[in-house]
Structures are given as C-alpha cells and as structure tokens.
Amino acid sequence: MKILVQFMIIVVVTLVGEAMAFFINIPIPGPIYAFVLMFLCLLFGIIKIEQVREAGKFLVLILPIMFIAPAAAILEESDIADVLIRVIVIAVVTTIAVMAATGYTAQYIVRRQKRRNGEELEGE
C-alpha cells in the first residue's frame, strides 16, 4: 500500500506538469515541467524523499525497459539501420580506445610512483 501512495504522488506531480504544459503556451513538454516541479517540491520539503523513495527506485530500475518499444518502432519505421551500425562500431572502437588509454595511463602513474618511492618494479 505504501508504494501505491508513492506512485500516486509521482502521478499527481506528473499530471500537474502536463496541466502546466497545457495552460502555459510555451513549447516545453509536460514531463519537463513535472521534473522541475518534483525537484522544487523535494528541494523545499513539500514532498519528503521518504514519500517517493521506493517508487522512484523502482522507476529508475525499469527505465531501460521503457526505451525498448520506442527504439524498435523507430528502427522499423525508418531507414536507420546503416546509421545504427555506424554508431555501434564507433561506440565499440571508442570504448576500447578509452579502456586502453586508461590502462596505460594507470600503469604509467603506478610505475612513476614506485620509482619515486624507490620500490623495485616487477618485470624489470
């Protein structure tokens, strides 16, 4: 029952954000108003973090699942497959490059620190 009340608080804030988007004639989506409103309510203590903690954790936990259907629809409707392949290749290559650079940098720093301390390096 507690988590249901927490979800209701989040839903009410979301509905107020949607209402603000409807009545304020500025092209800002309702969820943005809701995010700002929730932030301000938490900041000023109108809503206590304990009042929405478990529901918020659950929503963050399932957030990646919420993107599967829209991503599949985008792939189905558009000719984005070749762009997607490029993005995946770029992501993989840059991830490997960053990992390698980080590893070499960490090794260099450790060796330099050991030399300063006069310790013997392994393999030398």
Side-chain angles (χ1 to χ4, degrees):
M1 187 65 162
K2 180 180 177 183
I3 198 159
L4 185 60
V5 171
Q6 293 182 7
F7 274 115
M8 290 307 296
I9 292 171
I10 293 172
V11 168
V12 167
V13 171
T14 303
L15 288 175
V16 171
E18 289 292 338
M20 290 172 67
F22 181 77
F23 289 112
I24 301 172
N25 201 12
I26 300 175
I28 297 175
I32 302 300
Y33 286 113
F35 286 140
V36 171
L37 187 62
M38 179 64 87
F39 173 73
L40 293 174
C41 287
L42 289 169
L43 183 67
F44 293 117
I46 298 166
I47 297 174
K48 306 287 187 242
I49 191 72
E50 293 81 24
Q51 294 175 303
V52 292
R53 178 171 280 144
E54 283 97 22
K57 283 182 180 180
F58 175 75
L59 290 172
V60 169
L61 182 68
I62 67 166
L63 188 64
I65 296 170
M66 300 298 178
F67 290 106
I68 292 173
I74 289 170
L75 287 175
E76 187 176 294
E77 291 297 322
S78 65
D79 201 14
I80 199 169
D82 55 332
V83 173
L84 185 63
I85 291 170
R86 291 181 194 154
V87 169
I88 290 172
V89 169
I90 290 169
V92 169
V93 169
T94 56
T95 299
I96 291 170
V98 168
M99 289 172 63
T102 303
Y104 284 122
T105 303
Q107 286 179 348
Y108 171 77
I109 291 171
V110 168
R111 286 183 179 155
R112 189 171 139 203
Q113 190 66 33
K114 284 186 177 183
R115 283 191 186 113
R116 282 187 178 176
N117 294 339
E119 297 175 24
E120 214 174 288
L121 295 174
E122 294 177 21
E124 289 188 8

